[in-house]
Amino acid sequence: AYGEATVSLRESAAARGRGGQCCRPGVALSAQPLTAASLQRTLAPVAAFSAAAVVHLSGHGIRGNLVLEDGRGTAHLFSSEMLCRILKLPADPQGPPGNGVRLVILNACSLRDVGAQFVEGGVPHVICSSADLRDSASHVFLQNLYSSLFQGSTVARAFEAACVALRSNADVA
């Protein structure tokens, strides 16, 4: 998923004639292993100004749980209830709960329950699947989604463009 996002960012910058510079100020991409600690740092940062606007979780889901690493190379299940607790932590200790996350992409199988927790936690846009995902379909969808977003589309428009691209791709349709 990180590869699709970085390729889409470069392609969008080139299409807009910015010579490799991103099309939106403040766009930065980072990747890290998905652990409970890294998830909490991303969703409930110590300082509100360091909060991510878009969170993309790429991994595995099973029976409504995220499959996380434990930091020692072993997998463990992270429940939607634990996610709910993280989402209730304020980004600013003096402020109300909420963290500025505007879009969450859950690139994993069967995470509808986890997606619902993000919605209940106040995230306005959540993209997730209630079924199994094929890597080839995910690649097509994400490349088109991020390309549209980096070119300035709304989340709804980018989602629709990615769905059209997915349905019209003979290799994954």
Side-chain angles (χ1 to χ4, degrees):
Y2 185 74
E4 285 90 356
T6 55
V7 166
S8 295
L9 181 61
R10 282 194 301 270
E11 288 174 354
S12 297
R16 291 179 159 234
R18 301 207 179 189
Q21 296 298 312
C22 107
C23 52
R24 297 267 178 177
V27 172
L29 301 174
S30 67
Q32 57 189 306
L34 185 56
T35 64
S38 69
L39 186 60
Q40 184 169 343
R41 279 192 308 272
T42 300
L43 296 176
V46 174
F49 64 84
S50 65
V54 177
V55 174
H56 181 123
L57 302 176
S58 185
H60 297 283
I62 189 166
R63 294 183 304 277
N65 295 287
L66 280 168
V67 179
L68 305 182
E69 292 184 28
D70 67 359
R72 296 180 302 270
T74 304
H76 74 98
L77 298 180
F78 190 81
S79 70
S80 58
E81 291 79 22
M82 282 303 302
L83 177 63
C84 181
R85 290 184 187 142
I86 289 176
L87 290 170
K88 288 181 179 176
L89 294 172
D92 176 358
Q94 310 301 330
N99 50 29
V101 175
R102 308 287 303 149
L103 168 63
V104 170
I105 300 164
L106 299 171
N107 187 33
C109 300
S110 306
L111 289 182
R112 184 176 182 165
D113 292 343
V114 174
Q117 287 296 328
F118 278 107
V119 171
E120 289 176 27
V123 177
H125 305 284
V126 178
I127 298 172
C128 61
S129 174
S130 59
D132 290 345
L133 294 176
R134 291 191 342 234
D135 287 343
S136 58
S138 179
H139 176 79
V140 169
F141 181 86
L142 292 172
Q143 188 167 9
N144 284 278
L145 178 79
Y146 279 119
S147 181
S148 293
L149 289 172
F150 289 142
Q151 291 180 43
S153 289
T154 64
V155 173
R157 171 76 179 93
F159 179 81
E160 287 302 318
C163 287
V164 168
L166 186 60
R167 287 185 199 114
S168 63
N169 187 303
D171 295 332
V172 295

